[in-house]
């Protein structure tokens, strides 16, 4: 699964880091670091983290490994930040 975070939109609320700590981490009070290619085992945590983002800064590509599906399709139209 591929994850893209709009770091210009992210305001550092850190909801994603609480819900998917293996994928999203905060460095300092505002600097978000994340794993852009998370393991599918993290999918549920990542989707919940994206849904919890107050500014909708996270995109989750649900079909990254399937050639016949559109690239960067939004899972439930959810962005995470």
């Amino acid at each position: 699964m591929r994850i893209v975070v709009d770091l210009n939109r992210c305001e550092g609320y850190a909801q994603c880091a609480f819900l998917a700590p293996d994928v999203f981490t905060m460095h300092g009070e505002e600097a978000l670091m994340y794993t852009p290619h998370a393991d599918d085992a993290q999918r549920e945590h990542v989707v919940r983290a994206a849904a919890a983002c107050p500014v909708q800064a996270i995109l989750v590509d649900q079909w990254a490994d399937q050639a016949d599906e559109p690239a960067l399709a939004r899972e439930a139209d959810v962005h995470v930040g």
Side-chain angles (χ1 to χ4, degrees), residues 18-64:
F18 291 117
L19 293 168
D22 292 336
V23 178
F24 304 97
T25 57
M26 295 299 295
H27 289 273
E29 292 184 25
E30 296 181 13
L32 175 70
M33 299 200 55
Y34 67 100
T35 304
H37 295 286
D39 188 277
D40 277 342
Q42 295 294 322
R43 179 172 302 281
E44 182 177 341
H45 296 288
V46 170
V47 169
R48 287 177 192 243
C53 179
V55 296
Q56 300 295 285
I58 300 170
L59 277 172
V60 178
D61 183 355
Q62 64 181 345
W63 295 298

